[in-house]
Amino acid sequence: MTDPVKTGRLTDQASVLMARDVSAAVAYWVEKVGFEVVGTWGEPPDFAIVRRDGQFVMIGAAPAGHEIVPYWKIRTNLWNAYFWVDDAAAVFEELKGRGATIDYDLCTQPYGVREFGIQDLDGHDIGFGQVLKPAAAA
C-alpha cells in the first residue's frame, strides 16, 4: 500500500506586471484603481506589491531600454491581469470616477460576463468581470 501524496493549498495569487517607472505605476494603482501599497523595495523602487480586497499585483521594473509588450499587442483581446468582481457596474463607475484609463466600456460578453477593461501606464490591459447568473430554464 502506498502512502497518500501530501498536497498543499493555494492561498493567494498575484499578477506580475513590468513597469518603466515603478513609483509612477504604484501611484496609478493606488490613485486610479483603489489599491493600497503592501511594500516597495529598492531606491528608487524597482519592485512593489499593491493590494485591494485580498487581490494582489506585483510590479517589477523593466530593464532600461527594454520594450514592454502588453499581451493585447501579441494576441488581440488578451489581458495581462483579470479580476473577478461582485458588481462590475459599481467598480466601473468607481474607476472611471478615479480617472483610470478605460480600455473598453462596461459590456455583457457572449460568455456570460459583465465586463470592462482599463489600461495601466505601461499599456497593460486589466479586465474586471462579473459572472452573470444563467437564465432560469422555462
Side-chain angles (χ1 to χ4, degrees):
M1 184 157 98
T2 62
D3 291 332
V5 175
K6 182 177 176 164
T7 61
R9 179 175 154 290
L10 303 179
T11 61
D12 281 308
Q13 185 277 335
S15 297
V16 182
L17 303 174
M18 299 293 285
R20 289 183 303 272
D21 180 333
V22 171
S23 294
V26 167
Y28 182 87
W29 280 91
V30 169
E31 295 165 16
K32 307 296 185 188
V33 195
F35 278 59
E36 64 180 318
V37 177
V38 173
T40 60
W41 293 268
E43 189 53 51
D46 63 356
F47 187 79
I49 301 174
V50 295
R51 170 184 60 216
R52 177 176 172 166
D53 302 326
Q55 306 304 306
F56 298 86
V57 173
M58 295 179 174
I59 303 165
H66 178 79
E67 179 186 1
I68 296 173
V69 181
Y71 293 161
W72 64 268
K73 290 186 176 184
I74 300 166
R75 179 177 171 201
T76 304
N77 299 326
L78 188 61
W79 311 272
N80 285 87
Y82 196 95
F83 296 98
W84 300 107
V85 300
D86 64 353
D87 187 338
V91 177
F92 175 75
E93 291 302 326
E94 176 198 348
L95 300 191
K96 185 176 171 185
R98 286 176 166 273
T101 302
I102 304 299
D103 180 47
Y104 62 99
D105 285 327
L106 188 63
C107 60
T108 300
Q109 298 290 8
Y111 41 84
V113 175
R114 189 84 170 131
E115 173 181 285
F116 72 95
I118 67 170
Q119 280 193 359
D120 71 3
L121 296 178
D122 293 288
H124 297 110
D125 274 352
I126 315 300
F128 296 84
Q130 174 186 353
V131 176
L132 301 173
K133 292 183 177 158

